[in-house]
Amino acid sequence: MGRLPSITLPPIRAWLLARRIVCFVFALYFMVATIRTAPQQCSDQGCPSLITNLTFWALAIHIVHFASPLSAFQSREHSLLNALAHGASHSISWCIALLVTVMYIHKPSFMADHAKQEGVSTATVWILSALVHYVPPLLHTVELSTAHKLVLFNYVPSAAQKKYTVHVSAVAPLLVWSFLSPFILELCWMAAGFSGKKVYAVDIPLWENYLVTAVASALSTFGLLRLLMNSWNEIAFAAGALPSNDVRDCESKFCLCNNGVCRRRMK
């Protein structure tokens, strides 16, 4: 059995540094914006206090994810916590981006109204909106394209890692968590007494809200599953031959077999 290949390459090391900077920027903005808007009260025009904003609840989850270490050499408990944070942050980021886009469609004047309410320029509001709504999913895209193998180690149980093979059932619980996370966040937010009409002064039908959330969460979770499976195939191939008791799982067009020893094809 070969050893796992080195996955601490220069692009990954650069990303590990970048995610620390991202975490610092998000945390600083979260604290400053929350403190600055905390004294403001809700009105018919919405709630200026950003702590009532669903996006800021999501931002707290993004901060937890980007603050967590990304390494293939840590305890299973830390890996599990990292996978929980990543799964939630990944799906929620795409759901928030799609939901806020739908909100802008329902109320095209939202940004201008918000800028007037805050006493800042519309351009400033658009920049800050892009930072908290559209940057997180882009960061996840960069992370999964740069350090997807490190992300994979957090999802796959230790037993599957030792066998150099993984089945959907091994990662299914964490993927279910990833899919349900946006719904859990929204339900907690609404249970705290908030709603789109109260906070944003935008009345989006509940069925439309959950439909958008379901579509975004399902697509992001499915994409994560595909990447996880493909990435593990790459690691298994690079590491060398699969164990003999896994040969029966490799008798397909996705594998190359010779004298009973199989290697997975590179994607």
Side-chain angles (χ1 to χ4, degrees):
M1 175 67 66
R3 298 183 63 185
L4 282 175
S6 174
I7 53 179
T8 310
L9 303 176
I12 297 181
R13 289 199 295 267
W15 171 248
L16 294 179
L17 175 61
R19 74 196 305 269
R20 294 180 182 177
I21 298 175
V22 167
C23 178
F24 174 78
V25 171
F26 277 169
L28 180 63
Y29 177 66
F30 183 90
M31 291 186 294
V32 172
T34 300
I35 295 173
R36 179 178 177 273
T37 62
Q40 303 182 40
Q41 301 297 320
C42 296
S43 66
D44 294 338
Q45 301 299 318
C47 293
S49 179
L50 293 180
I51 199 60
T52 65
N53 196 309
L54 178 63
T55 302
F56 265 61
W57 289 42
L59 189 60
I61 296 176
H62 299 328
I63 292 172
V64 172
H65 164 62
F66 288 112
S68 60
L70 196 61
S71 172
F73 307 99
Q74 56 187 339
S75 67
R76 180 54 192 161
E77 291 75 16
H78 284 106
S79 294
L80 180 59
L81 292 176
N82 287 351
L84 291 173
H86 175 268
S89 179
H90 180 261
S91 291
I92 288 172
S93 68
W94 288 104
C95 289
I96 290 294
L98 190 55
L99 281 171
V100 77
T101 302
V102 171
M103 184 179 70
Y104 294 157
I105 294 173
H106 274 269
K107 188 178 181 181
S109 64
F110 177 82
M111 300 303 286
D113 294 343
H114 187 59
K116 183 178 180 180
Q117 186 179 21
E118 291 293 324
V120 296
S121 66
T122 305
T124 300
V125 174
W126 273 111
I127 292 173
L128 294 178
S129 177
L131 174 66
V132 296
H133 295 134
Y134 299 112
V135 169
L138 292 179
L139 290 173
H140 275 289
T141 301
V142 172
E143 181 167 76
L144 290 177
S145 63
T146 304
H148 54 280
K149 294 176 184 178
L150 287 178
V151 174
L152 173 67
F153 273 94
N154 291 322
Y155 277 82
V156 181
S158 300
Q161 292 181 13
K162 293 177 181 178
K163 293 171 61 179
Y164 292 91
T165 185
V166 61
H167 297 280
V168 176
S169 59
V171 296
L174 289 172
L175 292 176
V176 171
W177 160 255
S178 178
F179 173 76
L180 294 178
S181 293
F183 296 96
I184 296 174
L185 178 66
E186 285 191 47
L187 289 175
C188 292
W189 181 66
M190 289 189 292
F194 305 123
S195 66
K197 186 174 182 179
K198 179 180 180 180
V199 175
Y200 304 105
V202 180
D203 191 12
I204 300 177
L206 197 59
W207 68 266
E208 183 179 354
N209 177 80
Y210 282 120
L211 177 61
V212 171
T213 301
V215 170
S217 186
L219 290 177
S220 64
T221 302
F222 178 75
L224 183 59
L225 170 63
R226 291 291 300 172
L227 181 60
L228 287 173
M229 302 305 291
N230 291 342
S231 298
W232 194 255
N233 289 345
E234 293 175 6
I235 293 178
F237 186 94
L242 296 171
S244 58
N245 62 337
D246 288 325
V247 170
R248 63 182 182 277
D249 298 328
C250 203
E251 295 175 349
S252 70
K253 64 180 180 180
F254 298 109
C255 299
L256 294 171
C257 295
N258 184 20
N259 296 326
V261 177
C262 296
R263 298 173 184 267
R264 295 192 184 276
R265 292 180 186 270
M266 294 294 287
K267 297 294 181 181

